[in-house]
Amino acid sequence: MTTETITSPTLRSPAAPPALSGPGLFTVLLAAALPLIDFFIVNVALPTIGKDLNAGEAVLELVVAGYGVAYAVLLVLGGRLGDLFGRRRLFLGGMAAFGLTSLACGLAPGAWSLVAARVAQGASAAAMLPQVLATIQAATSGPRRARAMGLYGATAGLSMVAGQILGGVLVAADIAGTGWRSVFLVNVPVVVAGLVLGARAVPETRSQHPEPVDGPGTVLLAASLLALLAPLTEGRAAGWPLWTWLSLAAFPFLAAAFHAVERRADRRGRTPLVPPSLFALESLRRGLVMIVPFSIGFSGFMFVVAVALQRGAGLGPVPAGVALAPMAVVFFFVSLAGPRLVGRYGTRVVTAGSLIQAVGVGLMALAAWRSWPDLGFVELLPGAAVAGAGQALQLPILFRIILSEVPAVRAGVGSGVMVTTQQSSLALGVATLGTLFLSLVPAMGMRDALVTTLLVQLAGVALTGLLSLRLPRTVR
């Protein structure tokens, strides 16, 4: 496959491609919020889940990791299936499955049945989420696409913070005696409403020339991601047994085999799962490189702060979640201004965002150092608000940059690759920064471990700032 092939036009209807209406955009954004909320919503519920189900730390790690790994592993396949069978069909099917698996999580009688339901929930999310971005790419254009991508980025960032806040509120509310189960059961009515809206308002789009599933590529990509993510997310809790080291050692070989298989398929005129020619697009390639440190820092920060505020500062689930509310509020409102700022100043807005985020993270590290253990909403307010503004000037714009040159015919594959990179990095953030923090606590104490971890994240923010200088100056 050549770059010329990749830029060929998409055809759903040669004369009049379907347009994404306001209600349709609302519906797909609602679907985009659900998987991200559910990735973070369990952070503050884990202590209650462990006590209720008599689950050890290793099993509780699987409640988080099982969802994240299944989600990351299957996202590219979900995008390809949407291109093949129709994105609306996969969207509605994935949403229905997400509702059913959320119900299974909420009704799980034991820890291992909860883990199994979470894995299935992650797989359902992988079928649903790629269709959101692919539908936006295929059914919008020009200023409407820029606005829709801005709203998608705002929704994604807000969901990651709101999930943690919502989890704390639901656990503390103990609705009808459901306790932690409500963090999963709340999805069911939302999914029902989404299915009704989706059936009416989301247009069907697909590639004019459906591409078959790349079996060898799918298996090797899944094996590569599992070999990396499974030991990193489970290793510390399991005591780093031999299998974790063998798995990590196998990762580079599996990744190399995946790359070789995809290149060979491309040269022979077949359709690889992740076409190497996709990475000829400078905006996609450089944007993906930036997504990695940004997402690692974002998810690692959310996990570490949740643990520190509850176990160290002694806050309950609600105060621990509400402490980050300023970040969510500021993120949402600043992100809405992103499209106008990019139109005026180009991608240097992303560089400015990284500098602002660095100031915010530094303020939070200073607050932890000076106020511990009396750390809560008031102490974190300035840093959280500033960091939220900086993040809002990066994440939504990065999403738009990455997909800006991806042709509609490859919308599913492009969005699948982007979200896989983001989701894998979110899982890595919990595994790396989370492991660093928990490993430092016994020797340094909670305060110094938190400050050190925040300073490590600050180095990651500096890296994103430097990488942003290599982005294309303008966005299509």
Side-chain angles (χ1 to χ4, degrees):
M1 183 183 306
T2 64
T3 304
E4 287 73 17
T5 304
I6 206 171
T7 56
S8 62
T10 284
L11 291 139
R12 293 164 309 275
S13 169
L20 186 63
S21 64
L25 179 60
F26 172 81
T27 305
V28 296
L29 292 179
L30 177 68
L34 286 173
L36 289 169
I37 286 174
D38 268 61
F39 184 83
F40 290 93
I41 201 169
V42 298
N43 279 350
V44 292
L46 286 176
T48 310
I49 294 173
K51 185 183 299 184
D52 188 39
L53 298 182
N54 194 28
E57 188 177 2
V59 178
L60 290 177
E61 290 272 0
L62 278 174
V63 172
V64 178
Y67 175 86
V69 171
Y71 184 24
V73 162
L74 296 172
L75 274 164
V76 177
L77 178 61
R80 170 60 58 83
L81 292 175
D83 288 346
L84 184 61
F85 295 112
R87 294 161 189 145
R88 179 175 177 270
R89 181 180 300 177
L90 261 290
F91 174 80
L92 294 175
M95 180 176 276
F98 190 85
L100 291 173
T101 52
S102 296
L103 181 63
C105 289
L107 300 178
W112 286 106
S113 58
L114 176 59
V115 170
R118 282 284 282 174
V119 171
Q121 189 187 33
S124 302
M128 174 176 64
L129 189 63
Q131 318 317 325
V132 172
L133 282 166
T135 298
I136 290 174
Q137 282 290 99
T140 61
S141 61
R144 292 186 68 249
R145 179 181 294 176
R147 178 174 174 272
M149 288 301 300
L151 288 171
Y152 174 85
T155 301
L158 183 63
S159 299
M160 289 189 278
V161 182
Q164 207 143 300
I165 299 171
L166 181 61
V169 171
L170 289 173
V171 170
D174 192 21
I175 301 168
T178 54
W180 60 267
R181 298 178 185 275
S182 60
V183 304
F184 301 113
L185 295 176
V186 71
N187 291 334
V188 177
V190 177
V191 164
V192 171
L195 288 171
V196 172
L197 287 170
R200 296 180 176 182
V202 176
E204 180 64 282
T205 64
R206 70 176 73 209
S207 172
Q208 184 193 20
H209 303 290
E211 300 166 338
V213 172
D214 172 16
T218 300
V219 171
L220 283 170
L221 177 62
S224 301
L225 290 173
L226 281 171
L228 176 66
L229 296 178
L232 288 177
T233 52
E234 275 297 292
R236 187 195 61 83
W240 296 105
L242 179 61
W243 73 264
T244 59
W245 299 108
L246 293 176
S247 182
L248 287 172
F251 167 69
F253 298 100
L254 289 168
F258 171 70
H259 179 67
V261 165
E262 298 299 272
R263 283 181 62 85
R264 185 165 60 249
D266 213 6
R267 285 197 302 266
R268 294 181 177 180
R270 302 197 193 105
T271 306
L273 182 70
V274 181
S277 47
L278 203 62
F279 294 92
L281 302 175
E282 181 185 50
S283 55
L284 179 136
R285 186 175 66 252
R286 295 186 176 180
L288 288 178
V289 170
M290 269 198 73
I291 279 283
V292 173
F294 181 91
S295 298
I296 287 174
F298 200 121
S299 63
F301 167 82
M302 297 297 292
F303 175 80
V304 167
V305 169
V307 172
L309 292 180
Q310 290 189 86
R311 296 185 189 174
L315 299 183
V318 174
V322 170
L324 295 177
M327 179 181 287
V329 173
V330 173
F331 184 103
F332 180 75
F333 285 106
V334 173
S335 65
L336 295 180
R340 292 197 304 274
L341 291 173
V342 171
R344 184 170 182 179
Y345 300 108
T347 57
R348 289 299 174 259
V349 171
V350 178
T351 308
S354 67
L355 293 173
I356 294 170
Q357 185 189 0
V359 172
V361 173
L363 288 173
M364 285 188 282
L366 182 62
W369 177 263
R370 296 178 59 182
S371 303
W372 191 265
D374 300 317
L375 190 65
F377 177 87
V378 173
E379 292 76 19
L380 290 174
L381 173 62
V386 173
Q391 290 164 341
L393 295 176
Q394 296 175 80
L395 187 64
I397 298 168
L398 280 176
F399 286 154
R400 181 180 166 192
I401 290 169
I402 290 168
L403 295 177
S404 62
E405 295 181 301
V406 176
V409 72
R410 291 293 170 82
V413 177
S415 61
V417 169
M418 185 186 78
V419 181
T420 297
T421 304
Q422 182 200 20
Q423 184 60 38
S424 300
S425 302
L426 290 175
L428 282 173
V430 175
T432 53
L433 290 180
T435 296
L436 172 66
F437 170 71
L438 294 173
S439 300
L440 292 175
V441 168
M444 301 178 66
M446 190 73 74
R447 183 194 73 168
D448 290 354
L450 173 60
V451 172
T452 301
T453 307
L454 288 175
L455 292 177
V456 171
Q457 188 201 353
L458 197 57
V461 175
L463 176 60
T464 61
L466 291 173
L467 290 172
S468 70
L469 297 175
R470 301 184 69 245
L471 292 172
R473 290 300 299 267
T474 59
V475 187
R476 287 174 54 187

